[in-house]
Amino acid sequence: MTPEEFRKAGHQLIDWIADYRQQVETMPVRAQVNPGDVRRQLPVQPPEDPVSIDQLLEDLNSAIVPGITQVQHPMHFGWFPSNASLASVLGDIASSGLGTLGISWESCPALTELETVVCDWLRQLTGLSEKWQGTIHDTASTACLTALMVAREQASDYSQNRGGLQAETSPLIVYSTAEAHSSITKSALLAGFGSDNLRFIDVGAETKAMSASALRFAIEQDIDNNLRPAAIIASVGSTGVTAIDPVAEIAEIANEFGIWLHVDAAMAGSAMLLPECRKLWDGVENADSICWNPHKWMGTILDCSLFYVKDPELLIRVMSTNPSYLQSTVDDEVIQYRDWGIPLGRRFRALKLWFHLRLDGPEAIRQRLRRDLENANWFADQVRNTEHWQVVAPVNLQTICIRHNPHDMQGDELDAHTLAWVNSINQSGEAFMSASQLDGRWMVRVSIGVESTTREHVEALWGLIQRAVEK
Ligand SMILES: *Cc1c(COP(=O)(O)O)cnc(C)c1O
């Protein structure tokens, strides 16, 4: 494809995307396909002859779009808001169009330096002090794995330079809660800690937040048993019920015992753009690393996860490589982000944050987040004030966990009722919510915060839900 051919096809694609975004509200929210449906429409043999962009866009409409669960749909209330602001989409296109190679400062100085700048802008926008330096990872999963690898090396006096974990005699311990995201367990296992050495600390019965006193007890017990506490992961906004672990108290314990504290605010980090929400991560300044995803509620298109540390030297000590072919004369003046994380080749992700922050602007983003919080409060009030309905967990941000229980149903009967009404709505394509377990029983999470979701959509959802339980 020549640049001239690209210009023509590119205009068509941009028009197609704009049309798609205008029409997404008319589509079913959940993909109305069965396993294998998408694949069956595609040829088994790879193509030999090129097709026109018109043909390709037609196939995009007929074979691909029906196989998408439309998370940009205003009636999407599932999982979490996975916003993809069009301003950030333009930045992503610019990144692809430039075709840069991020393997060293020299391979793309602008990639490195814009990353430093936008991470610092977001540091300021979320009220973090100048002590923090950030980088962009693909996902919070990678950020947590990185944090745990650094914690592991610090706690083992850099065992990687000897026999690694395999030569350690006394196990290293990681502390989190059962409410933490599944990526926390995955990271602990991938970082080599072993499931026997991952402690799920007790949580409050209502709050589902980590008990700081139980944490202290577990750490003291482990030390008495000659085990070595290495890392604590505090969740600010857990996946199930948006539980907020008490970061200030946890940080005090972490500092007292010299344990790495990683704060996972993947979803809730967006809320820190609002000064009134920052009390939720009070104490965060005393953590060792923080991660949050602009690619969730804030709406910089996936993938875009921010990872902040106070001392990048600790990352470099564990992850630096310096082969001769990557060395340059300015190495001691520049940042080499490859040494702050796992991949060598890095995308120019800073561009989508730059486009998003400059074309939409932080104030518009803040207003949208506040709108969503008000909508969540409105929805929670409707549920609380309606007979047989219950809000089953504290509403800390924009997720409301609900149950309907008309005649004192218990156990399996209640589970069957909950799954029946939520599945009937999800299958209809009219709206989408996630069912999730709380204390071993099903409830429904209503996660508000799609960019196009207004009060009218939230009202429509409440109407749908009430009709669904009548059936
Ligand atoms: C979404 C989420 C994650 C995982 O995010 P990825 O970027 O998809 O890896 C981790 N923790 C919490 C609390 C989350 O909400």
Side-chain angles (χ1 to χ4, degrees), residues 356-404:
H356 190 193
L357 289 174
R358 297 194 60 208
L359 290 174
D360 279 359
E363 186 49 29
I365 298 171
R366 283 188 209 102
Q367 280 177 19
R368 176 166 57 78
L369 300 176
R370 289 196 176 105
R371 173 202 67 179
D372 297 340
L373 290 170
E374 281 168 21
N375 284 342
N377 274 327
W378 178 86
F379 184 87
D381 283 344
Q382 308 311 303
V383 176
R384 286 191 192 105
N385 296 327
T386 306
E387 209 183 4
H388 307 313
W389 281 94
Q390 235 189 320
V391 175
V392 295
V395 180
N396 289 321
L397 284 172
Q398 44 55 264
T399 302
I400 308 103
C401 301
I402 62 174
R403 260 194 214 119
H404 177 251

Side-chain angles (χ1 to χ4, degrees), residues 139-141 181 183 237 239 264 266-267 293 295-296:
T139 60
S141 303
H181 192 267
S183 62
T239 310
D264 175 19
M267 164 63 209
N293 290 351
H295 75 221
K296 287 183 166 172

Side-chain angles (χ1 to χ4, degrees), residues 443-459:
M443 51 91 177
V444 175
R445 292 169 73 258
V446 178
S447 171
I448 294 173
V450 174
E451 199 176 354
S452 56
T453 301
T454 63
R455 176 63 61 83
E456 286 67 41
H457 297 104
V458 180
E459 286 171 4

Side-chain angles (χ1 to χ4, degrees), residues 122-140:
L122 280 153
R123 172 192 70 72
Q124 296 174 56
L125 286 168
T126 52
L128 293 172
S129 77
E130 283 179 355
K131 287 185 202 148
W132 297 96
Q133 296 184 59
T135 184
I136 308 174
H137 283 312
D138 52 358
T139 60

Side-chain angles (χ1 to χ4, degrees), residues 104 155 167 216 292 304 338 340 363 411 435 441:
S104 64
R216 172 180 289 279
W292 72 275
C304 188
R338 67 170 184 272
W340 292 30
E363 186 49 29
R441 289 292 166 195

